[in-house]
Amino acid sequence: MSADFDDSADFHNDSAKRRRAAEQWPGFDPAEALRWSKVLLHHSPDPQRAAIKAQMSSAISRGIPIAGPDWVRTAESARLDGFNPVLYQTLFESLRTIPKTAFRSHPGHRQATFKTYLPGTPYESELWSDWPKLFLTDGFDARTATTLTLLRAEPKFPRPRSNN
């Protein structure tokens, strides 16, 4: 569950960075790949070891786009739903303000965790595809758009069974 990471010195060369971006981020230009790398480092769809994330962060801060497992698929899916890296970060930052106990549909319930890894929260297109419209077109603030999206999704997530 680690990212493909190579920290050789030739990545300081712009053509090497473009080549790396084209290899790891097909269909993304290098600048967009770097922006998605920065966002997905903090809002990763998959769990990662802290040491790997630190190495990835170092490379990203030097302008090297990095792709962890499922990052490109996540970015492609989110992009098709109308997200760009800024909107994606805005969504996940607004989720941090909403306790996962408030909604059964909250993705915090589906976080992937392993004992020695930082957790990952998968992007769920069926849940978030309307979020950009609520935020950009309908004019809701990020937290309200997130709350409305979670509220609309509640019927899709069954109540836990009780012993009563």
Side-chain angles (χ1 to χ4, degrees):
M1 298 223 53
S2 64
D4 176 24
F5 183 81
D6 182 358
D7 192 18
S8 59
D10 72 330
F11 288 121
H12 295 288
N13 177 314
D14 282 342
S15 65
K17 288 179 188 178
R18 282 192 294 278
R19 206 170 33 254
R20 171 81 172 202
E23 290 170 3
Q24 288 198 338
W25 289 89
F28 291 82
D29 69 58
E32 185 183 17
L34 183 60
R35 287 190 300 271
W36 276 109
S37 293
K38 287 177 182 177
V39 170
L40 291 173
L41 177 70
H42 298 288
H43 306 290
S44 178
D46 48 49
Q48 290 284 332
R49 290 187 184 274
I52 294 294
K53 278 209 169 185
Q55 290 177 333
M56 294 166 84
S57 178
S58 176
I60 290 168
S61 69
R62 292 190 316 275
I64 302 167
I66 299 296
D70 291 328
W71 288 17
V72 174
R73 184 190 55 75
T74 296
E76 287 171 339
S77 212
R79 190 166 64 171
L80 286 172
D81 289 338
F83 285 91
N84 60 35
V86 172
L87 289 177
Y88 193 88
Q89 180 168 337
T90 302
L91 165 64
F92 276 83
E93 292 297 323
S94 70
L95 271 171
R96 288 183 175 173
T97 70
I98 300 169
K100 76 178 187 180
T101 55
F103 295 97
R104 296 183 312 271
S105 57
H106 195 291
H109 294 292
R110 295 172 301 286
Q111 250 184 351
T113 59
F114 295 103
K115 189 174 184 176
T116 60
Y117 288 65
L118 297 173
T121 304
Y123 174 75
E124 299 164 295
S125 183
E126 61 280 358
L127 179 63
W128 300 116
S129 61
D130 289 338
W131 191 93
K133 179 187 174 295
L134 289 169
F135 182 68
L136 295 173
T137 306
D138 296 346
F140 290 102
D141 64 80
R143 189 171 195 279
T144 302
T146 303
T147 301
L148 286 171
T149 302
L150 292 170
L151 186 60
R152 287 179 183 172
E154 283 293 279
K156 297 177 184 176
F157 295 86
R159 293 189 187 281
R161 292 181 182 230
S162 67
N163 293 333
N164 297 338

